[in-house]
mmCIF file of all heavy atoms in Angstrom:
data_model
loop_
_atom_site.group_PDB
_atom_site.id
_atom_site.type_symbol
_atom_site.label_atom_id
_atom_site.label_comp_id
_atom_site.label_asym_id
_atom_site.label_seq_id
_atom_site.Cartn_x
_atom_site.Cartn_y
_atom_site.Cartn_z
ATOM 1 N N ALA A 33 18.817 12.407 32.699
ATOM 2 C CA ALA A 33 17.514 12.999 32.426
ATOM 3 C C ALA A 33 17.393 13.500 30.992
ATOM 4 O O ALA A 33 16.414 14.113 30.635
ATOM 5 C CB ALA A 33 17.264 14.158 33.392
ATOM 6 N N CYS A 85 14.133 12.055 18.946
ATOM 7 C CA CYS A 85 14.015 13.172 18.013
ATOM 8 C C CYS A 85 14.170 12.658 16.576
ATOM 9 O O CYS A 85 14.821 11.634 16.325
ATOM 10 C CB CYS A 85 15.082 14.210 18.327
ATOM 11 S SG CYS A 85 15.057 15.651 17.240
ATOM 12 N N THR A 270 8.829 38.806 7.416
ATOM 13 C CA THR A 270 8.325 40.175 7.347
ATOM 14 C C THR A 270 8.784 40.992 8.559
ATOM 15 O O THR A 270 8.718 42.217 8.535
ATOM 16 C CB THR A 270 6.795 40.169 7.280
ATOM 17 O OG1 THR A 270 6.275 39.438 8.398
ATOM 18 C CG2 THR A 270 6.308 39.502 5.985
ATOM 19 N N GLN A 330 32.604 30.846 -4.065
ATOM 20 C CA GLN A 330 33.817 31.636 -4.262
ATOM 21 C C GLN A 330 34.643 31.739 -2.991
ATOM 22 O O GLN A 330 35.833 32.015 -3.042
ATOM 23 C CB GLN A 330 33.456 33.049 -4.740
ATOM 24 C CG GLN A 330 32.838 33.061 -6.138
ATOM 25 C CD GLN A 330 32.352 34.445 -6.524
ATOM 26 O OE1 GLN A 330 32.296 35.350 -5.686
ATOM 27 N NE2 GLN A 330 32.006 34.617 -7.786
ATOM 28 N N ASN A 466 30.628 -12.557 2.107
ATOM 29 C CA ASN A 466 30.482 -12.863 0.687
ATOM 30 C C ASN A 466 29.759 -14.193 0.534
ATOM 31 O O ASN A 466 30.115 -15.179 1.168
ATOM 32 C CB ASN A 466 31.856 -12.959 0.006
ATOM 33 C CG ASN A 466 32.483 -11.598 -0.199
ATOM 34 O OD1 ASN A 466 31.783 -10.645 -0.520
ATOM 35 N ND2 ASN A 466 33.780 -11.493 -0.016
ATOM 36 N N LEU A 475 8.206 -12.652 -12.891
ATOM 37 C CA LEU A 475 7.355 -11.666 -13.565
ATOM 38 C C LEU A 475 6.169 -12.384 -14.192
ATOM 39 O O LEU A 475 6.340 -13.339 -14.962
ATOM 40 C CB LEU A 475 8.127 -10.930 -14.664
ATOM 41 C CG LEU A 475 8.968 -9.710 -14.291
ATOM 42 C CD1 LEU A 475 9.493 -9.046 -15.555
ATOM 43 C CD2 LEU A 475 8.168 -8.715 -13.477
ATOM 44 N N ILE A 634 -8.289 -22.396 -12.935
ATOM 45 C CA ILE A 634 -6.944 -22.827 -12.510
ATOM 46 C C ILE A 634 -6.982 -23.654 -11.226
ATOM 47 O O ILE A 634 -5.948 -23.870 -10.595
ATOM 48 C CB ILE A 634 -6.004 -21.616 -12.328
ATOM 49 C CG1 ILE A 634 -6.424 -20.776 -11.116
ATOM 50 C CG2 ILE A 634 -5.942 -20.770 -13.561
ATOM 51 C CD1 ILE A 634 -5.312 -19.863 -10.645
ATOM 52 N N LYS A 637 -4.429 -26.327 -10.597
ATOM 53 C CA LYS A 637 -3.035 -25.954 -10.377
ATOM 54 C C LYS A 637 -2.787 -25.449 -8.955
ATOM 55 O O LYS A 637 -1.669 -25.046 -8.630
ATOM 56 C CB LYS A 637 -2.612 -24.887 -11.386
ATOM 57 C CG LYS A 637 -2.582 -25.383 -12.827
ATOM 58 C CD LYS A 637 -1.915 -24.391 -13.758
ATOM 59 C CE LYS A 637 -1.814 -24.949 -15.165
ATOM 60 N NZ LYS A 637 -1.090 -24.037 -16.086
ATOM 61 N N ASP A 682 -19.058 -18.739 8.412
ATOM 62 C CA ASP A 682 -19.377 -20.158 8.227
ATOM 63 C C ASP A 682 -19.162 -20.548 6.767
ATOM 64 O O ASP A 682 -19.481 -19.788 5.850
ATOM 65 C CB ASP A 682 -20.833 -20.422 8.622
ATOM 66 C CG ASP A 682 -21.115 -20.017 10.060
ATOM 67 O OD1 ASP A 682 -20.250 -20.271 10.923
ATOM 68 O OD2 ASP A 682 -22.189 -19.426 10.318
ATOM 69 N N GLN A 760 -38.887 4.686 -18.909
ATOM 70 C CA GLN A 760 -38.950 4.841 -20.365
ATOM 71 C C GLN A 760 -39.540 3.602 -21.039
ATOM 72 O O GLN A 760 -40.012 3.677 -22.170
ATOM 73 C CB GLN A 760 -37.554 5.115 -20.918
ATOM 74 C CG GLN A 760 -36.988 6.472 -20.504
ATOM 75 C CD GLN A 760 -35.533 6.640 -20.891
ATOM 76 O OE1 GLN A 760 -34.866 5.685 -21.286
ATOM 77 N NE2 GLN A 760 -35.037 7.864 -20.771
ATOM 78 N N SER A 785 -48.061 -15.487 -20.570
ATOM 79 C CA SER A 785 -47.824 -14.213 -21.240
ATOM 80 C C SER A 785 -46.895 -13.361 -20.374
ATOM 81 O O SER A 785 -47.306 -12.827 -19.332
ATOM 82 C CB SER A 785 -49.151 -13.486 -21.475
ATOM 83 O OG SER A 785 -48.919 -12.243 -22.093
ATOM 84 N N ASP A 802 -37.133 -10.522 -3.517
ATOM 85 C CA ASP A 802 -37.376 -11.971 -3.487
ATOM 86 C C ASP A 802 -38.297 -12.301 -4.653
ATOM 87 O O ASP A 802 -39.527 -12.214 -4.543
ATOM 88 C CB ASP A 802 -38.015 -12.362 -2.157
ATOM 89 C CG ASP A 802 -38.178 -13.869 -2.014
ATOM 90 O OD1 ASP A 802 -37.763 -14.601 -2.947
ATOM 91 O OD2 ASP A 802 -38.726 -14.314 -0.991
#
Side-chain angles (χ1 to χ4, degrees):
C85 180
T270 55
Q330 293 174 349
N466 285 322
L475 275 187
I634 69 162
K637 294 191 176 184
D682 302 319
Q760 292 172 349
S785 179
D802 185 2

